Amino acid sequence: MVDGLVDELRQWEAVSRGGGPLEKHRTQIDAVLALLDAGIADARQRLADGRGHEVPARILDLHHVWDFFRGRFLPRRVRGYRRTLEVADELAWECYRPVLDLPGSRPKEPPLVGFSRTASPRAHRRGSAYHDLLPRGGVHTREGRAAAARLPFPVIDVPWHYDVQLPALLTVAHETGHHIEDDCGLGDELRPRIRAAGLPPDRLPHWERWTGEVFADVCAAVVCGTPYADVLAELLEAEDSPIGAEDLSDGPHPPPATRVRLARAAAVAAGHPRCDGGPNPPDDPEIGAVVSALLDTGYDGLGGRRLTDLLLPPDAADVHAAAERLLRRGPSGCARAATVLAAAALAFQRDPAGYERREVAQRAEAEVLRLRTAGSRTAARRREPEAEENRLRAHAEAGPLLLRALDAAGEPNGDIRP
């Protein structure tokens, strides 16, 4: 059993180095293998200590853990799904790469996009718990829950139906915004900005609660422009009602119409062209104050840079002309994946029938994939071998924590938490 798992893991390692569809995911696969190799070493030690009867259950547990990652890598080897995931990965990478290129940033794996049963996109942050996917329905002990909170790289889950719904992939930029906040430690910077935005006192608690989701929407609007707001409006079926007239729920998201209005305002404030046929509601002082608070000045966690400095595509102004070119059966002519996808989403908004008849989605996907650079995904600046070694060592050190989590999950009299 041990050799079988080792053989499978080494095959995945070889595939990530072989120039095929998993070449872009080499650092992510390396991170998982470093984590699981600790479990394999433990199994071999049990065999050497005469505890071979414990090994089958341990290897099965490791397969359960590996299944979480295997299920996200495997569709990239299936032609029918690979294209969509490669396009989504490219958008996530385009959003996330500027963070890796910041001076002083540590080597980190970019987000991995995968399909899941979720009804809407979800971001699983680096280091977050994935204990519910471990054996026996999850880890239930205090130690196990702490130990399982070590997801080695960010994950973005999208619904399976996004495979045939290209405009919806713009939401990947929103989920990547969550990972930028987490990996750059921006949470402590965002809240003071909202508090200092001059919002009405009775509204401030709501905006404070919404801060993380608002930041992610603003990131997506900076990257994708007003087409992101249009996609959001369709997905949320939002009505364009006045600010303050909506139900103020206690959840982390603003009401749908507020999110759409905020995304449109942020896109225009970032430098994107306004909608040329869709709604352009009058500027709202409250939304304008929030957008200004998040966009006007630089962030310490981003090396003093503003979001527009890092995320605004240089060809953003071309999106409307690009949509027309796509509808005329030509290439968009854009230089960035985000702008190609935004143009495709805008083409759908303008002419849904023409979008389908002229195969805009298929041609936009092909254009995005032609824009990809060769090789695995790494930052533009050179990585020092010592830094890369430290990155893999950190994942390997998480292995023993994972083993203790698996042991704790199997203890019938453990400290059970509700």
Side-chain angles (χ1 to χ4, degrees), residues 111-168:
L112 178 73
V113 183
F115 292 123
S116 81
R117 297 187 303 272
T118 182
S120 59
R122 291 187 61 188
H124 306 278
R125 65 181 177 83
R126 190 189 311 272
S128 64
Y130 56 108
H131 50 74
D132 288 343
L133 298 161
L134 295 180
R136 301 190 182 190
V139 176
H140 300 293
T141 67
R142 181 179 294 110
E143 179 186 24
R145 286 187 177 275
R150 297 296 295 266
L151 189 63
F153 49 76
V155 169
I156 296 171
D157 282 338
V158 298
W160 281 96
H161 64 84
Y162 279 22
D163 183 51
V164 292
Q165 196 176 357
L166 184 69

Side-chain angles (χ1 to χ4, degrees), residues 286-362:
E286 190 171 317
I287 285 180
V290 172
V291 169
S292 178
L294 298 183
L295 287 185
D296 286 355
T297 58
Y299 292 79
D300 292 340
L302 300 178
R305 290 164 174 78
R306 298 174 303 167
L307 290 179
T308 49
D309 297 333
L310 291 178
L311 302 181
L312 182 65
D315 57 354
D318 197 35
V319 66
H320 294 299
E324 286 301 318
R325 290 192 288 268
L326 286 171
L327 287 171
R328 292 197 301 266
R329 300 186 187 274
S332 77
C334 299
R336 294 295 180 92
T339 315
V340 175
L341 295 174
L346 185 57
F348 177 79
Q349 291 290 330
R350 288 180 177 176
D351 184 359
Y355 173 94
E356 295 292 341
R357 187 170 61 254
R358 294 158 191 161
E359 298 182 327
V360 169
Q362 294 87 333

Side-chain angles (χ1 to χ4, degrees), residues 7-22:
D7 289 345
E8 181 184 355
L9 296 179
R10 297 288 79 84
Q11 287 173 18
W12 283 91
E13 183 179 37
V15 167
S16 72
R17 286 159 168 73
L22 291 179

Side-chain angles (χ1 to χ4, degrees), residues 66-143:
W66 168 228
D67 186 62
F68 173 79
F69 302 102
R70 183 200 288 123
R72 283 155 177 77
F73 290 126
L74 193 58
R76 288 166 170 79
R77 303 181 73 177
V78 179
R79 181 174 300 177
Y81 299 126
R82 182 170 70 216
R83 190 179 178 96
T84 301
L85 291 174
E86 287 178 341
V87 169
D89 281 330
E90 195 63 18
L91 176 57
W93 171 240
E94 198 167 277
C95 299
Y96 191 82
R97 175 176 174 169
V99 169
L100 289 182
D101 289 339
L102 290 172
S105 69
R106 295 173 294 172
K108 293 180 179 179
E109 301 79 11
L112 178 73
V113 183
F115 292 123
S116 81
R117 297 187 303 272
T118 182
S120 59
R122 291 187 61 188
H124 306 278
R125 65 181 177 83
R126 190 189 311 272
S128 64
Y130 56 108
H131 50 74
D132 288 343
L133 298 161
L134 295 180
R136 301 190 182 190
V139 176
H140 300 293
T141 67
R142 181 179 294 110
E143 179 186 24

Side-chain angles (χ1 to χ4, degrees), residues 226-227 230 264 273-281 320 323-324 346 349-351:
T226 54
D230 295 335
R264 288 200 178 104
R274 288 181 175 268
C275 298
D276 62 347
N280 277 312
H320 294 299
E324 286 301 318
L346 185 57
Q349 291 290 330
R350 288 180 177 176
D351 184 359

